[in-house]
Amino acid sequence: EAQVTQNPRYLITVTGKKLTVTCSQNMNHEYMSWYRQDPGLGLRQIYYSMNVEVTDKGDVPEGYKVSRKEKRNFPLILESPSPNQTSLYFCASSLGSVSYNEQFFGPGTRLTVL
Amino acid sequence: AQSVSQHNHHVILSEAASLELGCNYSYGGTVNLFWYVQYPGQHLQLLLKYFSGDPLVKGIKGFEAEFIKSKFSFNLRKPSVQWSDTAEYFCAVNARGPGNQFYFGTGTSLTVIP
């Protein structure tokens, strides 16, 4: 089944403890992206990647890192999480340029930073 | 930077009522436009998209949207809503061409009362 998977689905952590949220897609998509969803703010793009080893900042990249060493994986890294990063995170992928192709979204990761 | 405005934050309708959700964007160039839906507890799914051609686009589940370039608008419509349409609806914009940043509106929560 074609899908985008994220792990973990739920995570509670403490300020400053490094964490990684994994994202994987099995559709051979070139484009991958991370979003955070907050009440009243909708979805905001954190980082995106056009292909392996190519990443770019979205609207809200501060406090996050990403890497794209393999086409199928696009992990989101929080080196030193803070409470303002408590949010619902979505990974998405697209066949090529997102200008012309539908993005497929993962199920979301709900992160709480205490 | 582009921005997307959804003026209706919460909409409550009775079944069989007609629906129109507003979406306006700010960008002077050519854009691709999308509506996504998020059912309770689920991830985002594409409802419909506009790239070019007929400004009236039809999507899944009886939804349609009209692109009015002069008004920078892409309003979503459905003639007769059902209880199962209860969800959050997001308008999204992407600038045509190599750019791959994606901008979402803040979302409209629709509740349909049986």
Side-chain angles (χ1 to χ4, degrees):
Chain A
E1 180 189 354
Q3 59 183 346
V4 179
T5 57
Q6 295 178 227
N7 282 294
R9 294 289 312 279
Y10 302 89
L11 178 61
I12 300 175
T13 189
V14 296
T15 298
K17 186 176 181 182
K18 181 179 177 180
L19 66 92
T20 299
V21 184
T22 64
C23 172
S24 182
Q25 50 91 6
N26 62 0
M27 297 171 277
N28 201 36
H29 282 174
E30 293 172 356
Y31 178 94
M32 297 187 74
S33 181
W34 277 103
Y35 298 87
R36 59 178 289 174
Q37 183 179 17
D38 301 290
L41 296 176
L43 278 84
R44 293 177 293 168
Q45 196 170 34
I46 303 171
Y47 270 96
Y48 61 94
S49 168
M50 278 304 299
N51 215 323
V52 175
E53 302 293 2
V54 180
T55 62
D56 281 294
K57 295 178 180 179
D59 248 3
V60 288
E62 294 78 20
Y64 304 94
K65 282 176 55 178
V66 292
S67 69
R68 188 91 182 272
K69 293 182 168 45
E70 305 166 279
K71 198 171 186 178
R72 62 182 292 129
N73 296 323
F74 190 45
L76 179 70
I77 303 156
L78 284 72
E79 294 269 4
S80 183
S82 62
N84 65 12
Q85 292 178 298
T86 292
S87 187
L88 179 60
Y89 291 86
F90 288 101
C91 181
S93 73
S94 173
L95 181 60
S97 166
V98 76
S99 290
Y100 297 102
N101 294 285
E102 174 185 354
Q103 287 188 84
F104 293 85
F105 284 81
T109 295
R110 188 167 291 282
L111 171 66
T112 301
V113 183
L114 302 174
Chain B
Q2 302 171 41
S3 68
V4 182
S5 299
Q6 292 182 241
H7 309 295
N8 316 102
H9 297 296
H10 300 280
V11 174
I12 302 174
L13 295 172
S14 298
E15 273 192 320
S18 64
L19 169 73
E20 180 159 2
L21 301 182
C23 173
N24 288 87
Y25 65 92
S26 66
Y27 181 71
T30 307
V31 294
N32 298 314
L33 300 157
F34 307 80
W35 275 97
Y36 279 85
V37 60
Q38 186 178 30
Y39 297 105
Q42 296 188 27
H43 54 89
L44 278 81
Q45 304 170 42
L46 183 68
L47 264 183
L48 49 79
K49 59 190 177 187
Y50 172 80
F51 291 156
S52 64
D54 189 344
L56 184 62
V57 293
K58 296 191 183 302
I60 61 172
K61 305 186 181 188
F63 286 91
E64 64 179 33
E66 185 176 13
F67 171 51
I68 304 180
K69 190 174 181 180
S70 60
K71 294 185 178 180
F72 297 88
S73 70
F74 190 55
N75 292 354
L76 181 71
R77 299 196 292 249
K78 186 171 184 178
S80 176
V81 295
Q82 301 171 319
W83 175 79
S84 57
D85 293 326
T86 294
E88 188 139 18
Y89 293 81
F90 293 94
C91 181
V93 172
N94 167 257
R96 185 75 60 80
N100 285 286
Q101 206 161 340
F102 222 72
Y103 294 89
F104 281 85
T106 53
T108 297
S109 175
L110 171 67
T111 301
V112 180
I113 302 170

